[in-house]
Amino acid sequence: MRKKFIHSQQENRAFEGADEQKLLSINPNRLRPLDRSSRSLFKFWLPVLTCMGIIFYASSLPASDIPSVFPFQDIAFHFLIYLILALFFARALKNSRSDMGFARLVFLTVIFVFLYALSDEFHQSFAPSRLPSGFDIFIDSAGGFAG
């Protein structure tokens, strides 16, 4: 019984060594370019994530760090960035699900923008000298609907 156990340990070591060699040696002929679905993931969803990241970063800034460029810039920036987010999201969703109808696409885009605006205002409540605002959620959603 003991010999069998030792024998099986030797077989395991030989097997593990082969696996390690396979892992350490990469055959360049086996590397394949990204398939169509992976490319579309980057092409369509990366702009959505980038836009969300920009919004998250801007919401983290203290109010004193945001320079005043023109009157009502807060409203314009909120409307514009959420309009862009809605356009990117609708484009990504449309290209990911080609069978989706226009009404459903608009509905899901507006819901997504509203929920992200809601989460953004919640996040903003933790930033120094920033307060959440229902009016901002309204403006964000209007920008999303316009997109």
Side-chain angles (χ1 to χ4, degrees):
M1 184 89 153
R2 183 161 167 82
K3 282 186 181 181
K4 264 188 174 179
F5 180 70
I6 292 171
H7 181 69
S8 66
Q9 278 185 339
Q10 288 171 347
E11 285 176 352
N12 285 343
R13 278 192 219 122
F15 181 72
E16 286 172 1
D19 280 348
E20 287 173 12
Q21 285 179 343
K22 282 182 185 177
L23 290 175
L24 294 176
S25 65
I26 298 174
N27 183 354
N29 296 330
R30 294 188 65 188
L31 297 176
R32 290 177 276 151
L34 292 174
D35 62 346
R36 183 169 155 44
S37 63
S38 298
R39 281 187 301 226
S40 70
L41 180 72
F42 286 113
K43 183 178 178 181
F44 297 116
W45 288 102
L46 192 60
V48 174
L49 295 175
T50 302
C51 192
M52 291 171 69
I54 291 168
I55 292 169
F56 185 85
Y57 173 75
S59 293
S60 302
L61 296 173
S64 59
D65 289 356
I66 301 172
S68 180
V69 180
F70 57 88
F72 304 109
Q73 77 177 16
D74 181 46
I75 294 170
F77 288 152
H78 273 265
F79 186 86
L80 184 63
I81 195 69
Y82 278 89
L83 180 135
I84 292 168
L85 178 62
L87 290 173
F88 282 146
F89 182 80
R91 186 186 111 183
L93 196 58
K94 178 183 167 199
N95 285 291
S96 297
R97 301 279 313 262
S98 60
D99 61 336
M100 187 174 297
F102 180 74
R104 184 175 170 98
L105 181 69
V106 170
F107 175 75
L108 290 175
T109 301
V110 170
I111 292 297
F112 169 76
V113 169
F114 172 75
L115 291 175
Y116 194 71
L118 197 63
S119 71
D120 177 49
E121 290 302 316
F122 177 72
H123 166 252
Q124 203 173 43
S125 69
F126 296 103
S129 70
R130 301 287 293 264
L131 297 172
S133 166
F135 183 70
D136 282 350
I137 295 172
F138 173 75
I139 295 299
D140 298 344
S141 298
F145 186 73

